[in-house]
Amino acid sequence: MKIIDSQIKQTLQELIDTKNFVPQISVDCTIFGFHNNILKVLLLKYPELDCWSLPGGFVFNDEDLREAAARVLYERTHLKDLFLKQFHTFGRIDRTENNIHRILLRNKGIEVPNDHWIFNRFITVAYCSLIDFSITHTFPDSFNETCEWFEVSNLPEMAFDHDRIIETGLEYLRMNINTEVAASNLLPEKFTMKDLQSFYETILGQQFRRNNFQRKILSLHILDRLEKLYDGSANKAPYLYKFKNNIHHSTNRYPISNDNGIHNL
Amino acid sequence: MKIIDSQIKQTLQELIDTKNFVPQISVDCTIFGFHNNILKVLLLKYPELDCWSLPGGFVFNDEDLREAAARVLYERTHLKDLFLKQFHTFGRIDRTENNIHRILLRNKGIEVPNDHWIFNRFITVAYCSLIDFSITHTFPDSFNETCEWFEVSNLPEMAFDHDRIIETGLEYLRMNINTEVAASNLLPEKFTMKDLQSFYETILGQQFRRNNFQRKILSLHILDRLEKLYDGSANKAPYLYKFKNNIHHSTNRYPISNDNGIHNL
């Protein structure tokens, strides 16, 4: 505990001394985790405070904004090339007006002048990701003591406006579920309609009648039907499906679109 | 022309002398204009350069991010409380790496040191709006000479990454057409199915068969059917429709959703 504490102090000191960040900009990642029909989000706990935050960080001046978000995601999960989508930038004047940074630094005995950049107003660009929390290791910040998955419906006390960021991220995921689920690679390449329905139900927080779900998802033309899944049981073998390759560039991706193409007018 | 030129110079000088902006952050507005089945976007021309840009500006330290975007929109259109949606933040390192600001300042004879903030890397937060260009007056920046509507399919030479911003804004509008069209107030309160179809076709850049369009839009449950529109002609009177009041908070707003509510499972 003593070693960890001195590590946290050193990392905090290094952060405070860094001069090549883009000022007043941060990135925050809502890393959603899915497994067995449960949807969670990854949070970090500030040391000695009963307060949690999203994994986040600052943007180096020689780094693309998106690279900064990918770096934060990598630092927490050690996973690269993950599905990662920017969804909103939060810029209310008072969003970082609280004493969390100040208390954190004081608790660690780090002296920081009042006009230090860490106390400035920050505008944060939020990204979301969707991974399987059961096969993912997570790693706390060097200056946060724990990293933990929380069910989205049961969050702890959050720092800053991070509860609003999570809510907005979840809304984004739901609005874009068709493309985002395919992009997340969380389903195997071939899956049954039942697997897909469970996935959608968990993310949307809604239950569907089996026939309704099947009719609707097929009407979107985002799936290809494959062979049947024979498992030797007495039940009727279900069909397997896969996402069409061009789902991101399909002309059918808009909420209203012309299935048949313009030539069929 | 002489007066205008000295005005531009004064405004530029005032901008350069401003010290209370959030550093390295800007806002840009893609103001889409719709009228008679044409979709346009409002652009500004830099003086003495064959180069156009989106209306944009900087964020004051005592101003919400969204307020800054609303201010820019107001300055160009003198319209308040417009539909205005943030859609993406652009943060590639090299996005503002060009000499436009430098040439502009040199042309006006304004001396600016090389380490001035105006030459820094900027991250820009992009907003979009949708208005009727036929009833809207537009006003150039005090340091741009003209303000002009361009068809989205026929844009001039654009500064920085503004062509990419417009493309992303148009994609956002198309993906969110159901909620955004209702929010824009561009249709009268009561409209015919034909009016609505023209609107959708122009924004999506697609034509629909009348029956297909009607079936799809009704299946979204975002419209209420009203009385028929009797205009005294011999044609069959069409029904009038209006958007449901709760379209933004409807449980039917997701691409897949449960029309009948969970109680009908």
Side-chain angles (χ1 to χ4, degrees), chain A residues 36-92:
Chain A
N36 270 354
N37 307 332
I38 300 178
L39 187 63
K40 299 191 174 184
V41 62
L42 187 65
L43 301 179
L44 294 166
K45 188 180 175 299
Y46 285 111
E48 295 148 38
L49 288 174
D50 188 20
C51 186
W52 296 74
S53 73
L54 289 168
F58 304 110
V59 184
F60 288 107
N61 253 317
D62 59 355
E63 180 181 51
D64 285 339
L65 181 62
R66 188 185 160 77
E67 260 179 61
R71 176 171 51 76
V72 166
L73 186 59
Y74 177 76
E75 285 166 359
R76 296 291 79 71
T77 62
H78 291 197
L79 294 175
K80 277 190 179 172
D81 302 321
L82 280 180
F83 156 86
L84 180 68
K85 278 286 186 66
Q86 190 200 106
F87 63 88
H88 196 73
T89 296
F90 296 80
R92 290 192 188 160

Side-chain angles (χ1 to χ4, degrees), chain B residues 31 42-44 73-79 131-133 135-141 146-149:
Chain B
I31 307 177
L42 187 65
L43 301 180
L44 294 166
L73 186 59
Y74 177 76
E75 285 167 0
R76 297 291 78 72
T77 61
H78 291 200
L79 294 175
I131 62 185
D132 183 335
F133 63 77
I135 55 164
T136 307
H137 296 281
T138 57
F139 306 84
D141 267 359
T146 11
C147 213
E148 224 172 274
W149 289 102

Side-chain angles (χ1 to χ4, degrees), chain B residues 47-60:
Chain B
E48 296 148 36
L49 288 174
D50 188 18
C51 186
W52 296 74
S53 73
L54 289 168
F58 304 109
V59 184
F60 288 107

